[in-house]
Short mmCIF file of all heavy atoms in Angstrom, two decimals:
data_model
loop_
_atom_site.label_atom_id
_atom_site.label_comp_id
_atom_site.label_asym_id
_atom_site.label_seq_id
_atom_site.Cartn_x
_atom_site.Cartn_y
_atom_site.Cartn_z
N HIS A 62 175.68 150.17 100.37
CA HIS A 62 175.67 149.27 101.52
C HIS A 62 176.65 149.69 102.60
O HIS A 62 177.38 148.90 103.22
CB HIS A 62 176.01 147.85 101.11
CG HIS A 62 175.06 147.29 100.02
ND1 HIS A 62 173.81 146.79 100.38
CD2 HIS A 62 175.08 147.32 98.76
CE1 HIS A 62 173.21 146.37 99.22
NE2 HIS A 62 173.97 146.67 98.26
N LEU A 63 176.89 151.05 102.73
CA LEU A 63 177.93 151.52 103.58
C LEU A 63 177.54 151.31 105.07
O LEU A 63 178.45 151.16 105.91
CB LEU A 63 178.16 153.07 103.39
CG LEU A 63 178.91 153.34 102.12
CD1 LEU A 63 179.09 154.89 101.93
CD2 LEU A 63 180.25 152.55 101.99
N CYS A 64 176.33 151.30 105.40
CA CYS A 64 175.89 150.94 106.79
C CYS A 64 175.04 149.74 106.92
O CYS A 64 174.56 149.23 105.77
CB CYS A 64 175.27 152.20 107.51
SG CYS A 64 173.53 152.28 107.23
N ALA A 65 174.73 149.30 108.10
CA ALA A 65 174.06 148.10 108.28
C ALA A 65 172.64 148.10 107.92
O ALA A 65 171.96 147.04 107.87
CB ALA A 65 174.21 147.64 109.75
N HIS A 66 172.13 149.30 107.48
CA HIS A 66 170.72 149.35 106.98
C HIS A 66 170.66 148.64 105.56
O HIS A 66 169.61 148.26 105.21
CB HIS A 66 170.20 150.72 106.92
CG HIS A 66 169.89 151.33 108.26
ND1 HIS A 66 169.07 150.78 109.17
CD2 HIS A 66 170.13 152.61 108.68
CE1 HIS A 66 168.90 151.53 110.20
NE2 HIS A 66 169.60 152.65 110.00
N ASP A 67 171.79 148.63 104.85
CA ASP A 67 171.94 147.79 103.72
C ASP A 67 170.87 148.18 102.67
O ASP A 67 170.30 147.27 102.02
CB ASP A 67 171.74 146.31 104.16
CG ASP A 67 172.58 145.44 103.29
OD1 ASP A 67 173.55 145.82 102.67
OD2 ASP A 67 172.27 144.20 103.38
N CYS A 68 170.68 149.47 102.37
CA CYS A 68 169.58 149.90 101.40
C CYS A 68 169.76 149.46 100.10
O CYS A 68 168.76 149.13 99.39
CB CYS A 68 169.50 151.45 101.57
SG CYS A 68 169.20 152.07 103.15
N GLY A 69 170.97 149.46 99.51
CA GLY A 69 171.16 149.06 98.11
C GLY A 69 170.61 150.12 97.10
O GLY A 69 170.28 149.72 95.95
N VAL A 70 170.47 151.29 97.50
CA VAL A 70 169.99 152.38 96.56
C VAL A 70 171.20 152.96 95.75
O VAL A 70 172.36 152.93 96.21
CB VAL A 70 169.31 153.51 97.28
CG1 VAL A 70 168.01 153.00 98.01
CG2 VAL A 70 170.20 154.21 98.33
N ASN A 71 170.82 153.57 94.61
CA ASN A 71 171.76 154.22 93.79
C ASN A 71 171.88 155.69 94.11
O ASN A 71 171.14 156.54 93.60
CB ASN A 71 171.48 154.01 92.34
CG ASN A 71 172.57 154.63 91.43
OD1 ASN A 71 173.47 155.37 91.83
ND2 ASN A 71 172.55 154.32 90.15
N ARG A 72 172.73 156.07 95.08
CA ARG A 72 172.85 157.47 95.56
C ARG A 72 173.47 158.31 94.38
O ARG A 72 173.25 159.57 94.35
CB ARG A 72 173.73 157.55 96.77
CG ARG A 72 172.95 156.95 97.95
CD ARG A 72 173.81 156.83 99.20
NE ARG A 72 174.43 158.04 99.63
CZ ARG A 72 175.27 158.10 100.66
NH1 ARG A 72 175.52 157.05 101.38
NH2 ARG A 72 175.86 159.21 100.99
N LEU A 73 174.17 157.77 93.54
CA LEU A 73 174.86 158.53 92.36
C LEU A 73 173.68 158.96 91.37
O LEU A 73 173.87 160.02 90.66
CB LEU A 73 175.88 157.72 91.64
CG LEU A 73 177.08 157.36 92.47
CD1 LEU A 73 178.00 156.51 91.62
CD2 LEU A 73 177.83 158.60 92.99
N ALA A 74 172.57 158.31 91.44
CA ALA A 74 171.50 158.57 90.54
C ALA A 74 170.36 159.34 91.25
O ALA A 74 169.24 159.47 90.69
CB ALA A 74 170.90 157.27 89.85
N GLY A 75 170.59 159.78 92.41
CA GLY A 75 169.65 160.57 93.17
C GLY A 75 168.72 159.77 94.05
O GLY A 75 167.90 160.51 94.70
N GLU A 76 168.90 158.46 94.14
CA GLU A 76 168.08 157.74 95.06
C GLU A 76 168.52 157.96 96.48
O GLU A 76 169.83 158.21 96.70
CB GLU A 76 168.14 156.18 94.71
CG GLU A 76 167.44 155.87 93.40
CD GLU A 76 167.64 154.44 93.10
OE1 GLU A 76 168.12 153.54 93.92
OE2 GLU A 76 167.31 154.01 91.92
#
Side-chain angles (χ1 to χ4, degrees):
H62 301 278
L63 288 179
C64 85
H66 286 313
D67 216 19
C68 300
V70 294
N71 184 349
R72 291 170 55 183
L73 297 178
E76 294 176 7

